[in-house]
Amino acid sequence: MKEIILLKLGEIVLKGLNRKNFEDQLLRCVRRRLAKIGQFQVKAAQSTIYVDPQQDDIDMDEAADCVSKIFGVAAYARACVAEKDLEQMKAAAGEYLADTLEGCRTFKVESKRSDKKFPYTSPEISAEIGGYLLEQFPHLTVDVHEPDVTVTVEVRDFGAYIRAGLERGAGGIPVGTGGKACVLISGGIDSPVAAYMMAKRGLDLMAVHFASPPYTSERAEEKVAELLHRVAQYSGRLKMYTVPFTKIQEQIREKCKEDYFTIIMRRFMMEIAERLAVEKGAQALITGESLGQVASQTIGAIACTDAACTMPVFRPLLGMDKEEIIEISRRINTFEVSIQPYEDCCTVFTPKHPRTRPELSKVLLEQSKIDSAPLIEEAVRNVAVREIF
Ligand code: ATP
Ligand code: MG
């Protein structure tokens, strides 16, 4: 039996004149993301996107999982395709939904007829198919208020589609409709969640990671790549730029007062990330900071880090508790990777008593002990890039 996936659009239907752009971008996202699974025809009509497999051996579980992670899709459902003929639609409903209907006690049928040439009205279609299913599955009763399952029949231009309920989609708006931003990614729990959240708001991502070998290992870097791979299941493909950070950290340790180590290091990160972002056409930075979580994330410390760059810095986790962040990281499958114990450059040379209320003037004075410009030049020049998908 022919099966397809129907995608229902989310917020993008609200976007007025922009709607066409959003819809086109969503179609591009869906096509690109499904390409690794097989050949599909993807088309939009009547505020629905049809995902129609063009090969017999396509794994539809995998395809459904893939579309469940595409931003801009509010809800989706697998459906079977039947001829627009009432007898064929009945038989298809009975066969396609047999497992679902066996497993529940009450149901109802809802019909939508957008092809007005079809000779039955929606209530007639529901009554006919409902009656047939009651005959085929005698254990069922109809409950129009709170059914275990709602069988939906959509008679559209291209055919009749029969499905059970809709699954919730990834929500948000399609990646790429909001421009591009650069996430500062560590191996921790927070920054992958921050990346996911901003991609959900339509941003295309690039990622910058600071590595300090030999203080940080190659495996720590692989861990970050694995985290980004998991984020990419939502954001789509992105590039990871790894910045060699050892020399800068050693200079900080050598020349600056210990209680300023972290804040100065973070300022270098922002400045370098901004440089790379500008180079690659990104317009904002993203970090996983949460207010008050650690000494470098107090209001004063954030003021000092922000002053190191001119781009807007998006901090989607700023007002969230750790528990709330962990909940999302579990849902998007990054948690189990984040908790693997590898060192981050933030955890080497950490001061015993970091400043929680740094003054920008004093920070700048400390930082002026380092000749920053050539160090930054060198770091940017030696960035390594890899493709994540
Ligand atoms: P995370 O769980 O994301 O590591 P955290 O709570 O441990 O966050 P910090 O280590 O203070 O916080 O880092 C704050 C933010 O700085 C991170 O969320 C991330 O955006 C950025 N960051 C930290 N370390 C790195 C790194 N090695 N490379 C790139 N960005 C980093
Ligand atoms: Mg960290």
Side-chain angles (χ1 to χ4, degrees), residues 205-376:
L205 300 180
M206 62 179 274
V208 170
H209 174 65
F210 296 88
S212 292
Y215 307 104
T216 61
S217 65
E218 212 165 285
R219 284 168 73 190
E221 217 177 296
E222 288 311 308
K223 175 187 174 183
V224 174
E226 176 60 28
L227 283 172
L228 285 175
H229 163 69
R230 293 176 185 223
V231 170
Q233 305 317 300
Y234 293 88
S235 67
R237 62 166 58 219
L238 72 156
K239 289 197 170 82
M240 166 178 168
Y241 298 91
T242 303
V243 180
F245 207 45
T246 316
K247 236 186 198 171
I248 290 174
Q249 285 200 285
E250 285 174 344
Q251 285 282 307
I252 298 173
R253 181 180 56 177
E254 222 169 274
K255 302 203 166 129
C256 305
K257 278 203 205 125
E258 185 183 331
D259 44 352
Y260 288 96
F261 279 4
T262 310
I263 197 85
I264 292 173
M265 178 193 71
R266 300 205 42 79
R267 286 174 50 85
F268 271 101
M269 284 186 177
M270 301 307 266
E271 205 175 328
I272 293 170
E274 181 173 47
R275 280 276 300 267
L276 292 167
V278 169
E279 223 172 79
K280 312 295 172 197
Q283 294 168 286
L285 303 179
I286 302 168
T287 75
E289 289 160 305
S290 161
L291 195 63
Q293 196 186 77
V294 289
S296 62
Q297 297 174 23
T298 61
I299 193 166
I302 285 177
C304 292
T305 26
D306 261 359
C309 63
T310 56
M311 266 185 188
V313 181
F314 295 158
R315 297 181 170 90
L317 313 186
L318 204 61
M320 290 173 74
D321 293 346
K322 198 75 188 187
E323 276 312 310
E324 295 168 318
I325 299 167
I326 288 175
E327 203 181 299
I328 300 176
S329 84
R330 285 188 196 279
R331 185 152 48 77
I332 64 170
N333 280 324
T334 52
F335 184 73
E336 67 206 34
V337 181
S338 291
I339 58 174
Q340 291 168 9
Y342 295 113
E343 64 301 313
D344 181 61
C345 70
C346 276
T347 53
V348 296
F349 314 145
T350 42
K352 279 188 216 70
H353 303 290
R355 290 258 154 190
T356 53
R357 292 182 197 177
E359 269 173 56
L360 184 57
S361 57
K362 290 191 183 142
V363 174
L364 292 174
L365 190 67
E366 275 309 305
Q367 195 173 344
S368 69
K369 296 176 184 168
I370 303 173
D371 186 8
S372 301
L375 283 170
I376 291 176

Side-chain angles (χ1 to χ4, degrees), residues 141-158:
T141 52
V142 173
D143 179 346
V144 291
H145 300 296
E146 268 185 81
D148 294 339
V149 64
T150 301
V151 174
T152 303
V153 181
E154 302 184 26
V155 182
R156 291 167 167 268
D157 294 349
F158 313 118

Side-chain angles (χ1 to χ4, degrees), residues 90-109 129-130 132-141 147-152 162-165:
K90 285 180 191 172
E95 190 186 332
Y96 183 64
L97 297 175
D99 287 349
T100 311
L101 294 170
E102 292 291 355
C104 64
R105 292 181 13 234
T106 61
F107 81 114
K108 73 169 171 184
V109 180
I129 292 182
Y132 174 82
L133 294 176
L134 279 172
E135 273 168 29
Q136 299 296 309
F137 303 91
H139 71 285
L140 286 178
T141 52
D148 294 339
V149 64
T150 301
V151 174
T152 303
I162 296 148
R163 60 173 173 85

